């Protein structure tokens, strides 16, 4: 829907705001709110955990804990003070709170005095923060800089009317985004179920079945076998780190991110540059049909992520924190093994086997003792080809739904920004 513009505009004097409606004003933030940053939660997370209670504790990114007491019991606006980075405008930097709560020391606490709270919150989420933040790796919005942020200010009645419109618009927009997100979930579940079914039950539903003897695998086709990985493959944990040494061989390296973020590594995949010793090159060169898996992670449920090596490499090796697995070609096709590792049962197995506190890791025994389903070699290849087609189709549908979500979020932000800076006149408009 195309919204009308205001009858007359004037220069705001602020480059990133541009023109504003003739009757609007530009005011610095400090003239619109009281900043009460001095009232902040004095406890660290360990001390908070010892206090029983039932009130929400708000941090810069939302509710993160629940504790006993509260400091604030009036409408306030929370504005993130630091993050990495602030200039990824403008997603949920500020939010409105109207209940009893504590605030942590990574957020500014603002009490609206001369501006409608909902309008002000939307305005803050449309600010171009880059000129106001300091720092490089972790950007910080100081109180002094925050106070000088320019805000577009229409009349109070108009602020309320714009806020009402945005609320209705967000309700419709969020519902539509939610439908696409639910569709993505269903498609991803179908993708996972397709993999699970194919690598443990095969492609022929009429084939006779037998008990695999492994509880988490269940029944399998009667002509399949089950074997531990160590009997059908060789593997080792890479020792190639990120350091570059003058006396080593220049190579490309498949590090943890390349394994975690890809399903296939081919000659077209962009890999990191590094060096390795001659022995490491011989041991960890990337070879066609190998499977690499991440052997550690920050959480136990996110471990053992596989990638399939599609080509032979003459100048690339497997990197540190990754296990390289070369299958016995006569018994186990690497493509089938890759898909087997992707099954949810294997993920559950790795999660159970992972050990650690702040970072979880898989030991060599856990990997070598993984029990596999082993169909005949020809059937393994058929299953791999089938899953390639099925997952490609589902991935395309998932990508389209994600693109729709991104587009809707961009349109939503663009409309809110246009409304709170006066580029469009939404008064008396019907949300569409």
């Amino acid at each position: 829907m195309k919204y009308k513009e205001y009858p007359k505009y004037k220069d705001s004097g602020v480059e990133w705001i541009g023109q504003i409606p003739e009757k609007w004003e530009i005011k610095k933030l400090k003239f619109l709110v009281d900043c009460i940053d001095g009232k902040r939660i004095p406890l660290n997370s360990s001390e908070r955990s010892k206090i029983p209670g039932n009130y929400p504790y708000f941090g810069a990114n939302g509710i993160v804990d629940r504790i006993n007491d509260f400091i604030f019991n009036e409408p306030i606006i929370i504005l993130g003070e630091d993050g990495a980075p602030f200039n990824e405008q403008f997603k949920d930097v500020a939010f409105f709170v109207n209940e009893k709560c504590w605030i942590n020391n990574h957020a500014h606490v603002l009490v609206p005095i001369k501006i409608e709270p909902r309008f002000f919150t939307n305005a803050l989420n449309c600010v171009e923060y880059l000129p106001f933040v300091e720092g490089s790796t972790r950007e910080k919005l100081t109180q002094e800089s925050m106070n000088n942020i320019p805000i577009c200010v229409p009349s109070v009645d108009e602020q309320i009317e714009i806020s009402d419109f945005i609320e209705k618009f967000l309700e419709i927009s969020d519902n539509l985004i939610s439908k696409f997100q639910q569709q993505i979930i269903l498609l991803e579940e179908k993708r996972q179920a397709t993999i699970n079914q194919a690598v443990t039950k095969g492609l022929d539903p009429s084939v006779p079945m037998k008990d695999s003897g492994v509880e988490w695998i269940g029944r399998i086709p009667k002509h399949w076998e089950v074997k531990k990985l160590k009997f059908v493959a060789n593997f080792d944990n890479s020792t190639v780190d990120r350091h570059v040494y003058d006396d080593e061989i220049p190579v490309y390296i498949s590090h943890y991110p390349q394994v975690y973020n890809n399903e296939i590594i081919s000659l077209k995949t962009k890999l990191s540059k590094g060096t390795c010793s001659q022995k490491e090159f011989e041991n960890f060169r990337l070879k066609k049909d190998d499977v690499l898996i991440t052997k550690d992670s920050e959480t136990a449920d996110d471990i053992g992520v596989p990638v399939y090596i599609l080509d032979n490499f003459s100048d690339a090796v497997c990197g540190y924190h990754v296990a390289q697995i070369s299958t016995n070609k006569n018994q186990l096709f690497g493509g089938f093994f890759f898909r087997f590792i992707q099954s949810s049962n294997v993920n559950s197995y790795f999660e159970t086997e992972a050990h650690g506190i702040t970072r979880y890791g898989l030991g060599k025994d856990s990997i070598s003792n993984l029990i596999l389903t082993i169909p005949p070699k020809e059937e393994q290849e058929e299953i791999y080809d089938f899953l390639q087609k099925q997952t490609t189709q589902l991935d395309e549908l998932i990508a389209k739904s994600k693109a729709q979500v991104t587009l809707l979020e961009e349109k939503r932000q663009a409309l809110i920004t246009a409304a709170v800076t006066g580029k469009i006149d939404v008064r008396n408009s019907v949300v569409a």
Side-chain angles (χ1 to χ4, degrees), residues 290-309:
D290 280 356
V291 175
L292 312 183
I293 65 169
T294 59
K295 63 183 183 66
D296 50 35
S297 182
E298 293 180 356
T299 58
D301 63 347
D302 190 27
I303 204 165
V305 177
V307 69
Y308 181 50
I309 307 301

Side-chain angles (χ1 to χ4, degrees), residues 191-201 216-217 303-306 336-351 370-373 387:
R191 186 186 197 276
Q192 187 62 65
T194 301
I195 294 172
N196 294 346
Q197 177 72 16
V199 299
T200 58
K201 311 300 178 191
W216 57 268
I217 293 179
I303 204 165
V305 177
F336 174 83
F337 173 61
F338 158 71
R339 289 300 185 186
F340 183 83
I341 294 291
Q342 283 190 321
S343 67
S344 55
N345 284 336
V346 173
N347 181 258
S348 297
Y349 168 79
F350 283 153
E351 182 179 354
L370 171 66
I371 298 176
L372 315 175
T373 55
L387 288 177

Side-chain angles (χ1 to χ4, degrees), residues 354-370:
H355 301 286
I357 300 175
T358 58
R359 191 168 183 86
Y360 294 84
L362 285 172
K364 282 191 172 183
D365 286 345
S366 297
I367 299 173
S368 64
N369 289 319
L370 171 66

Side-chain angles (χ1 to χ4, degrees), residues 27-36 76-77 79 108-117 120-121 124 146-147 151:
K27 292 185 179 181
K28 291 184 177 180
L29 179 146
K30 61 185 175 183
F31 298 121
L32 301 172
V33 299
D34 279 344
C35 179
I36 49 178
I76 56 174
I77 289 164
L79 176 61
H108 293 295
V109 185
L110 309 174
V111 178
I113 302 299
K114 297 181 179 180
I115 192 166
E116 203 271 337
F120 182 59
T121 302
L124 286 176
M146 177 191 68
N147 283 335
I151 302 294

Side-chain angles (χ1 to χ4, degrees), residues 5 18 46 67 75 85 124 138 148 160 169 178 207 211 213 239 243 248 273 278 320 322 341 379 390:
E5 297 180 347
S46 177
I67 61 174
L124 286 176
R138 188 170 182 86
N148 291 316
I160 293 171
F169 169 76
S178 178
V207 70
D211 185 5
T239 58
H243 296 294
E248 290 189 334
K273 289 184 178 180
Q278 180 63 39
Y320 196 52
V322 175
I341 294 291
E379 193 172 347
Q390 293 296 308

Side-chain angles (χ1 to χ4, degrees), residues 387-403:
L387 288 177
Q388 283 296 99
K389 293 177 183 178
Q390 293 296 308
T391 56
T392 297
Q393 291 173 1
L394 290 167
D395 287 343
E396 289 174 354
L397 294 174
I398 291 170
K400 287 179 181 178
S401 293
K402 287 182 175 179

Side-chain angles (χ1 to χ4, degrees), residues 151-388:
I151 302 294
C152 300
V153 185
S155 68
V156 173
D157 287 343
E158 195 166 349
Q159 292 174 38
I160 293 171
E161 200 167 352
I162 292 171
S163 298
D164 289 342
F165 171 85
I166 290 175
E167 276 192 1
K168 294 175 184 176
F169 169 76
L170 285 177
E171 183 179 355
I172 294 173
S173 177
D174 289 347
N175 284 338
L176 189 55
I177 289 173
S178 178
K179 289 180 181 178
F180 279 109
Q181 289 173 332
Q182 185 61 36
Q183 186 176 38
I184 291 168
I185 291 172
L186 293 174
L187 287 169
E188 288 176 340
E189 288 177 348
K190 182 177 180 180
R191 186 186 197 276
Q192 187 62 65
T194 301
I195 294 172
N196 294 346
Q197 177 72 16
V199 299
T200 58
K201 311 300 178 191
L203 305 180
D204 183 359
S206 65
V207 70
M209 306 291 283
K210 68 178 180 182
D211 185 5
S212 68
V214 183
E215 184 178 357
W216 57 268
I217 293 179
R219 292 173 64 78
I220 61 173
K222 193 173 182 179
H223 62 290
W224 287 21
E225 297 180 272
V226 291
K227 292 183 179 180
K228 290 184 177 181
L229 177 64
K230 61 186 176 183
F231 297 125
V232 291
N234 297 314
F235 84 94
D236 201 358
N237 297 329
S238 175
T239 58
V240 182
D241 58 30
R242 291 181 178 272
H243 296 294
V244 176
Y245 300 100
D246 293 336
D247 60 345
E248 290 189 334
I249 304 168
V251 291
Y252 290 96
I253 306 175
S254 176
H255 282 300
Y256 191 102
Q258 284 87 29
V259 177
Y260 190 88
N261 294 317
N262 292 283
E263 285 205 332
I264 289 173
I265 290 180
S266 71
L267 293 172
K268 297 179 181 180
T269 306
K270 185 176 181 180
L271 301 177
S272 305
K273 289 184 178 180
T275 65
C276 71
S277 68
Q278 180 63 39
K279 184 176 180 181
E280 286 175 326
F281 181 76
E282 293 170 0
N283 289 342
F284 303 114
R285 181 175 64 85
L286 298 184
K287 301 179 291 297
K288 179 179 174 61
D289 211 37
D290 280 356
V291 175
L292 312 183
I293 65 169
T294 59
K295 63 183 183 66
D296 50 35
S297 182
E298 293 180 356
T299 58
D301 63 347
D302 190 27
I303 204 165
V305 177
V307 69
Y308 181 50
I309 307 301
L310 196 62
D311 299 311
N312 276 311
F313 286 76
S314 61
D315 58 355
V317 295
C318 172
Y320 196 52
H321 295 296
V322 175
Q324 183 174 12
I325 303 170
S326 298
T327 62
N328 181 325
K329 303 299 185 288
N330 293 325
Q331 298 183 69
L332 182 61
F333 171 47
F336 174 83
F337 173 61
F338 158 71
R339 289 300 185 186
F340 183 83
I341 294 291
Q342 283 190 321
S343 67
S344 55
N345 284 336
V346 173
N347 181 258
S348 297
Y349 168 79
F350 283 153
E351 182 179 354
T352 302
E353 291 291 313
H355 301 286
I357 300 175
T358 58
R359 191 168 183 86
Y360 294 84
L362 285 172
K364 282 191 172 183
D365 286 345
S366 297
I367 299 173
S368 64
N369 289 319
L370 171 66
I371 298 176
L372 315 175
T373 55
I374 310 287
K377 187 75 182 298
E378 184 178 338
E379 193 172 347
Q380 293 179 36
E381 294 173 355
E382 289 175 356
I383 290 172
Y384 173 77
D385 290 341
F386 168 80
L387 288 177
Q388 283 296 99

